[in-house]
Amino acid sequence: MKDLFDKIYKDKGPLGKWAEQAEGYFVFPKLEGPISNRMKFRGKEVITWSINDYLGLANHPEVRKVDAEAAAEYGSAYPMGARMMSGHTDLHEKLQDELASFVNKQSAYLLNFGYQGMVSTIDALVSKQDVIVYDVDAHACIIDGVRLHLGQRFTYKHNDMESIEKNLQRATKIAEQTGGGILLISEGVFGMRGEQGKLKEIVELKKKYNFRLFVDDAHGFGTLGKTGAGAGEEQGVQDEIDVYFATFAKSLASTGAFIASDKEIIDYLKYNLRSQMFAKSLQMQLVVGALKRLEMLRTMPELKEKLWENVNALQNGLKDRGFDIGTTQSCVTPVYLKGSIPEAMALVKDLRENHGVFCSIVVYPVIPKGLILLRMIPTATHTLEDVEQTLDAFSAIRERLENGTYKRLSASVTAAMSNK
């Protein structure tokens, strides 16, 4: 019999095998200083395009004040215990009511973490007789939730309506045999590509197929729609989303998440969400902080307006300079380049060290081999000066990528990996 750890010693995984070259710089980097458009990386100031603080609330003085006051009043432990036992308060209910109203749903329920909450919500919504249909590019939290499902599940090609319908047909046949139902899962905004899920077109399929729609709107909440209520509002189909999910970790710059739906559905979920029933309640300082952030989202439209001024300046500037930013329909700004993983490392190091630009690097296996994705998140705290400096930097690194400079610089890394 093998030692359980044998596979770990022999195979570190597609990302782990790069740990020696990447850790501490390309992965697990340490940004320092107040969360803002410019922070410190290894002692140098850099323009930060990797912080999901869309509306610039993370270090807003009003938010900091409320967070500090709540921490002083309640500490970091209150309330103790799970919601069902001893961790329930009027302020938890108040936040839920305000969130439900904001996203135009009857009821809402707080989640301690977005990832954990998504996994648990999927688990609670389906039984083994049911069928799940979901986008192949769905976030890892959706994939992990689907993995718990004991019944049938099918992926459809990303945002491909023909593939969606084909899989709904397959799911319908199975559900008719098992006596179950169908849950279709899409994202409001796909976090890597920046594309919105085709919610309007998916909703149209409800006229032909009997399914319920669950939308993960982590990147849409606070950034899309007239009021900021998300991708459903943007596309005019918020009422047709059966279960709506969003996290506090992006536009609200905090910790936690929520689900919203009809009251009867939320009442069911709050008694069946294992991740909430058997976990400590969301602590009070986070609840109070989220109430303040939601108030600012509702009453300060200038935050979203500034965000989109920066988004448009960055995305239009990149397109004008001939960069491929895919088909993003959101704030998420991907830049696609061709190159190897070692070339990507050399390129990003050049960006950070010589141009003062910090953005996230995404490579295989998240995207196909031979591609480099530089993913940028504009925020309301960025300036047009930040945008111009970044555009100039990107023009410079593209030239060095195309003339082979990064290939030569990365030769030692490539050689080291090939010898392992």
Side-chain angles (χ1 to χ4, degrees), residues 235-250:
Q235 298 182 36
V237 293
Q238 185 75 354
D239 291 345
E240 297 297 325
I241 295 173
D242 296 295
V243 181
Y244 179 90
F245 164 95
T247 176
F248 298 162
K250 294 177 173 60

Side-chain angles (χ1 to χ4, degrees), residues 177-193:
Q177 294 171 357
T178 63
I182 301 170
L183 179 67
L184 193 153
I185 308 174
S186 177
E187 295 190 42
V189 172
F190 289 85
M192 288 297 164
R193 299 173 185 255

